[in-house]
Amino acid sequence: MSVATRPTAEEAPAAAPSPAPRERRRLSLDAKARLIQVAILLGLLVVWQVASWLGLIGSRFLPGPIELVGTAADVFSDGAVWGAVGKSGLAMLFAFVIGTALGIAVGFLFGLVQVLKDAFFPVVLFFMSTPKSIFIPLFLLLFGINQNAPIAFAAFATFFYVCVNVVGGVGLVQERHLRVVDAYRGKWWQRIVDVILPASAPGVFAGVWYGIKHAVFEVLIIELYISVGGIGALLQEYSYLFQTGRVLSLVLFVVIVSLLLGSLWNRLESRLERWKPEKTTDQSLDLY
Amino acid sequence: MAITATDLGVVYRSQRRGDTVALQHVDLRVAEGEFVTLIGPSGCGKSTLLHALGGLLAPTSGQVAVDDKPVTAPDPWRAAFIFQDYSLLPWKTILDNAAIGLRFAGRSRAERQAKAMEMLELVGLANFAKAYPHELSGGMQQRVAVARAMAMEPELLLMDEPFGALDEQTRQKLGDQMSRILTQNGKGVVMVTHSLDEAIFWADRIVVMSPRPGRIIREIVVDRPRPRDLDFIASDEFGEIRQELFRLISEPVEETAADATAPTGAVALRGGRG
């Protein structure tokens, strides 16, 4: 037996009426913005190149764009650079994995056990607002000037950002969704799998993104601070030798890699959060 | 299956605001297949009573029993909840939402999907099985919540102001559909509402509660077969019951603490007195 009931016109889904004309207009606005971006960028490059040709900027301090491309090609055909990139990359990866895993674990622990949160979350917040680089000397004393120091320090610094975001994510869990689990007799683990994890996902995703960002950032910081090798050390070497072109090439490389990581992560997040009405963050713009 | 509340009392304890007596000496029996509406001023403990009936809240005194067996925990197979705010899980599809109770019960994927699909067809939302809740209007989401409850094939549905968050038109249409489905499937219903019309139109029996501490002050039997036609609203019988309810609910009572979450309906009722 069934009763024929079907959605009526007034009850059409909220998302159904598609504002087609507006969509088109926004796209063209987007295109315009792109155009202006590209135009300004090209303009700056031209001005820079011309200034460089006219000798307004000494090539010692800042080589022109064309010269820079040559230098970059030079830099990246050098095996030493790739060695440094590999070394830093590996340190960043380890720091990311350790710092993020610990941050997520402790974040969920805080989110689920109120007593622990009351006791220790203030400590995490304290470290959050302290410049982590003041702990570099301590890490060098503990781990020595070697491979492990950057990994340990960057994992340590990364941990706090991840933890704070995950705690925020668990805060997004709503009582009414937990009530559904109770009313429909879900087991304790279904409470976690079906409600707590998906509800806190935005915080966890933000946490992972901060994990990536800070792993990269903190490894570079410590490499710049003391000669433990890697990109930071190379940057310092180039700048001591006044090789501005080489410094710029490396800096641009780091910027581009960071941008790529950001947009890759954004893609992945969109795929994982299909259920969401809109994205909460536009992280590709939030680089630092 | 009959559900019985005997001398039920619920006290909310709070360190900051002291104890609040939400329910006091409540005796209620809901017979098999009966449609009972709970009505009363806001903050009178209607929802508390509903939650206690379903085992979602442990009473401070007295007990709830189903066929003489005490109720200690929710059991959606016996009595399934439908909440005012729909409470669909936004990260699950409509189909998975409708199937959540079966998933919790450990049924196989094939079985729960088939059952959920059948229920979505019943409420007219089969086409939206793959959509996510945010793509649906409020009325449609509430229909999914009804499907979620019906998928458990419960003998009793516990509805907490199920149409409270909807606009008048949707509310009427949806209420009409739902009451037909429930009647034809022979489900017993306990429904909390603050709408006089809703309370009368669907009920076999209306239970009127006093302001806090909530007690049952009156039970009115609506003696007319269900489902009812809209003509019923224009009848003398309907008008008389409505007047009686209005009088009961707007009767002057000792001032209770102002309830910040008072639904506008109840406020309007009090304001309309005299």
Side-chain angles (χ1 to χ4, degrees):
Chain A
M1 178 213 61
S2 81
V3 180
T5 50
R6 49 174 48 91
T8 51
E10 307 91 272
E11 277 193 330
S18 56
R22 208 209 259 158
E23 193 72 20
R24 222 176 295 133
R25 226 187 108 202
R26 197 164 65 208
L27 275 179
S28 83
L29 262 181
D30 250 21
K32 264 186 213 163
R34 278 288 140 73
L35 215 68
I36 293 172
Q37 262 179 352
V38 172
I40 288 183
L41 200 67
L42 280 178
L44 280 174
L45 282 175
V46 169
V47 170
W48 179 8
Q49 185 62 57
V50 170
S52 181
W53 274 332
L54 295 176
L56 295 176
I57 310 171
S59 73
R60 178 111 209 186
F61 295 100
L62 186 63
I66 293 172
E67 198 182 332
L68 191 60
V69 172
T71 315
D74 219 30
V75 168
F76 288 104
S77 60
D78 184 354
V81 171
W82 292 110
V85 167
K87 194 173 178 189
S88 295
L90 211 62
M92 288 163 187
L93 183 68
F94 278 122
F96 162 71
V97 170
I98 297 169
T100 308
L102 283 177
I104 289 176
V106 174
F108 270 110
L109 206 62
F110 282 173
L112 299 177
V113 187
Q114 189 65 37
V115 187
L116 285 180
K117 187 181 169 185
D118 289 349
F120 296 112
F121 197 46
V123 180
V124 171
L125 287 176
F126 166 76
F127 275 104
M128 262 288 282
S129 50
T130 310
K132 257 67 67 191
S133 25
I134 60 165
F135 294 100
I136 291 179
L138 195 64
F139 275 83
L140 292 173
L141 283 172
L142 285 172
F143 289 85
I145 302 175
N146 59 32
Q147 300 274 51
N148 297 332
I151 296 175
F153 167 70
F156 160 81
T158 300
F159 164 81
F160 299 103
Y161 295 96
V162 179
C163 181
V164 166
N165 274 288
V166 172
V167 169
V170 179
L172 297 174
V173 177
Q174 289 182 32
E175 196 56 47
R176 62 197 188 109
H177 293 142
L178 293 174
R179 200 179 50 191
V180 170
V181 181
D182 291 337
Y184 284 87
R185 228 180 181 172
K187 290 159 198 73
W188 67 268
W189 58 271
Q190 286 165 328
R191 226 175 141 77
I192 296 176
V193 172
D194 287 318
V195 175
I196 295 174
L197 286 183
S200 50
V204 176
F205 286 147
V208 172
W209 171 239
Y210 275 97
I212 297 173
K213 218 160 68 170
H214 280 277
V216 171
F217 175 68
E218 309 291 353
V219 164
L220 283 177
I221 290 286
I222 190 169
E223 284 178 353
L224 282 168
Y225 179 81
I226 194 153
S227 187
V228 283
I231 299 173
L234 210 55
L235 272 174
Q236 204 145 40
E237 190 190 318
Y238 290 157
S239 64
Y240 285 153
L241 297 172
F242 275 104
Q243 294 172 322
T244 321
R246 290 186 156 242
V247 172
L248 266 178
S249 307
L250 266 185
V251 167
L252 276 175
F253 173 75
V254 172
V255 168
I256 290 168
V257 169
S258 305
L259 277 171
L260 279 178
L261 281 175
S263 77
L264 261 178
W265 177 249
N266 246 359
R267 285 257 164 98
L268 186 66
E269 195 193 344
S270 306
R271 279 186 58 142
L272 290 171
E273 299 227 281
R274 263 169 314 162
W275 56 271
K276 279 201 130 174
E278 69 254 340
K279 295 261 77 61
T280 44
T281 48
D282 187 8
Q283 291 161 339
S284 63
L285 297 172
D286 183 18
L287 266 174
Y288 182 73
Chain B
M1 183 200 85
I3 191 161
T4 325
T6 316
D7 195 25
L8 208 63
V10 174
V11 180
Y12 288 117
R13 301 187 195 286
S14 156
Q15 284 187 341
R16 253 187 315 149
R17 283 174 298 168
D19 293 354
T20 309
V21 182
L23 287 182
Q24 213 171 35
H25 306 305
V26 170
D27 290 291
L28 180 68
R29 185 186 153 82
V30 180
E32 189 163 339
E34 193 182 13
F35 200 128
V36 171
T37 48
L38 292 178
I39 193 163
S42 70
C44 73
K46 303 179 292 255
S47 295
T48 302
L49 176 55
L50 193 81
H51 286 185
L53 285 176
L56 201 51
L57 182 139
T60 318
S61 59
Q63 78 159 6
V64 175
V66 169
D67 296 336
D68 298 328
K69 276 184 288 268
V71 169
T72 51
D75 180 356
W77 302 96
R78 178 186 67 219
F81 277 97
I82 294 169
F83 300 106
Q84 176 179 10
D85 50 15
Y86 332 133
S87 296
L88 302 181
L89 304 180
W91 42 85
K92 288 190 181 289
T93 62
I94 296 308
L95 187 67
D96 287 344
N97 263 292
I100 196 92
L102 299 169
R103 173 179 155 78
F104 288 161
R107 296 304 163 85
S108 75
R109 197 176 168 78
E111 185 192 338
R112 59 187 199 240
Q113 290 200 341
K115 185 75 194 167
M117 202 61 198
E118 186 190 323
M119 291 304 132
L120 287 179
E121 271 161 28
L122 186 68
V123 298
L125 287 175
N127 290 339
F128 293 91
K130 290 211 167 67
Y132 286 92
H134 73 87
E135 298 171 87
L136 269 60
S137 68
M140 293 163 91
Q141 290 192 41
Q142 191 58 297
R143 272 154 51 198
V144 178
V146 171
R148 173 171 73 186
M150 298 281 285
M152 310 306 287
E153 295 182 356
E155 288 172 78
L156 190 67
L157 285 165
L158 301 169
M159 320 213 309
D160 192 358
E161 294 192 30
F163 314 122
L166 305 174
D167 63 87
E168 189 61 33
Q169 216 186 351
T170 313
R171 183 184 177 118
Q172 250 176 31
K173 203 174 297 166
L174 184 57
D176 192 49
Q177 281 175 3
M178 289 307 119
S179 72
R180 266 164 220 284
I181 292 175
L182 296 176
T183 308
Q184 284 165 4
N185 284 278
K187 303 291 182 201
V189 179
V190 180
M191 182 172 96
V192 168
T193 179
H194 56 253
S195 154
L196 299 180
D197 294 338
E198 266 179 24
I200 307 162
F201 190 70
W202 291 317
D204 293 318
R205 189 156 49 109
I206 306 162
V207 172
V208 186
M209 295 179 67
S210 71
R212 197 182 296 149
R215 281 160 293 129
I216 293 175
I217 49 172
R218 187 71 187 274
E219 296 192 23
I220 299 171
V221 173
V222 185
D223 196 8
R224 184 179 271 238
R226 289 185 290 124
R228 295 161 184 153
D229 290 327
L230 278 172
D231 301 347
F232 178 48
I233 294 179
S235 69
D236 290 345
E237 190 191 356
F238 190 95
E240 274 161 32
I241 297 175
R242 197 179 195 289
Q243 255 180 5
E244 172 73 359
L245 279 183
F246 189 82
R247 192 185 58 76
L248 281 168
I249 289 173
S250 47
E251 222 156 49
V253 284
E254 71 268 42
E255 252 345 279
T256 50
D259 191 346
T261 59
T264 46
V267 172
L269 269 180
R270 287 210 194 106
R273 186 198 323 155

